[in-house]
Amino acid sequence: MQFAKRLQPLQSNVFADMDRAKAVALVAGQQVIDLSLGSSDLPAEAHVIEAIAQSLHDRSTHGYLLFNGTFEFRQAAANWYEQKFGIKVDPQTEVLPLIGSQEGTAHLPLALLNPGDFALLLDPGYPSHAGGVYLASGQIYPMPVREENAFLPVFADIPAPVLAQSRMMVLSYPHNPTAAIAPISFFQEAVAFCQQHNLALVHDFPYVDLVFEANGHWEKNLPNPKSLVPSILQADPEKSVSIEFFTLSKSYNMGGFRIGYAIGNAQLINALRQVKAAVDFNQYRGILNGAIAALTGPQVGVKSAIATFQQRRDAFITALHRIGWNVPTPKATMYIWAKLPSPWSQNSIEFCTQLVKQTGVAASPGAGFGKSGEGYVRFALVHEPALLETAVERMAEFLD
């Protein structure tokens, strides 16, 4: 049986590779502490669960859900954006429900790229961004993000012949995996660059709320103070070239419910809607009812989640410093991006493979997020502080 060539670049995936390594460690009798996957271990709020539970008894929610039936959710999303960022949004033409933001970032290239067209992606970056380009038979130009540039890409380094064939740029700040943040001035530069070169500007924005205020209000130029980090739409309020993806997986601990949305340029929203219509309907209406409850209800759970991840961050960083692994303290996300010590400094995959094999601690190799991620490892703060400290103790023995 012959398969499409577009599957070839999809054969390796950082999460699938580590899943296999964890399985081997479990068979060998290791007690695995899994820090490899950024899946929140915190529960969704009670009022969210109740909204979904009540929907189950409503037989009108049991059928297919088409676009027009999602208006209440789209209205809630538009209102949430206006309150948080001061951006007016048309729920009819500028919002599209998604089965998580990963669905949107993976499907959008099908609407934008012809075979051979380039997409400009962060390197390192989230794997589904590249996967969507490969499925569209596009080419990837990796924009390196390095520590000396605050993990921001340098647009001037993109070659002119690549730009001539490029159709889209994908950004994501706060950034997975590096946990870097970007100022509004950077987004304004990105918008102007994409306008100049006729590029769609795609911003994956799952960590908008996981920003730690103890670092101070680092961004002083935001037009709306309700968010510590900017939306791309604040740099492109006319939505001339921009589309942003938000998921309820991180802020509202609803990863397993698979609910997110795209918001932004009406033409981009419509193009993505056409692709989505060919692939699926929408998820169960009860899930959308839960998402509406999350977006419109009490936000105490969001604040609690932020405090929890900040406490975990501080405990993990302190433990790493205690064993002599001096890692900078991130201002956002649920991740620690750590430069690997010698002799592992250029072999992150082997480091993670041997670490889980010998200690049961699972992490994600930097090389799995792109060539420029080599030399780093990503830890997800998805356990309580005591277990995170145990993981560091095991790593200390491994590194000794």
Side-chain angles (χ1 to χ4, degrees), residues 132-153:
V133 176
Y134 289 133
L135 288 175
S137 298
Q139 299 186 76
I140 291 172
Y141 179 80
M143 299 185 293
V145 294
R146 300 190 174 98
E147 187 175 3
E148 58 265 30
N149 295 319
F151 294 110
L152 301 174

Side-chain angles (χ1 to χ4, degrees), residues 24-47:
V24 171
L26 284 169
V27 170
Q30 287 285 3
Q31 179 193 16
V32 171
I33 302 176
D34 191 357
L35 309 181
S36 67
L37 190 63
S39 178
S40 176
D41 60 314
L42 304 179
E45 289 294 290
H47 67 280

Side-chain angles (χ1 to χ4, degrees), residues 142-204:
M143 299 185 293
V145 294
R146 300 190 174 98
E147 187 175 3
E148 58 265 30
N149 295 319
F151 294 110
L152 301 174
V154 179
F155 301 141
D157 290 344
I158 304 169
V162 170
L163 275 175
Q165 284 183 257
S166 298
R167 300 292 176 265
M168 62 186 293
M169 175 190 289
V170 182
L171 302 175
S172 183
Y173 291 96
H175 185 228
N176 179 11
T178 70
I181 50 182
I184 188 71
S185 57
F186 168 79
F187 285 136
Q188 290 166 340
E189 179 188 356
V191 169
F193 185 86
C194 290
Q195 289 172 335
Q196 178 184 354
H197 296 284
N198 196 27
L199 303 173
L201 180 51
V202 182
H203 187 227
D204 198 6

Side-chain angles (χ1 to χ4, degrees), residues 77-92:
N79 290 344
W80 188 87
Y81 252 73
E82 182 172 353
Q83 293 166 10
K84 199 171 191 71
F85 302 110
I87 300 292
K88 289 276 189 182
V89 177
D90 183 349
Q92 192 67 358

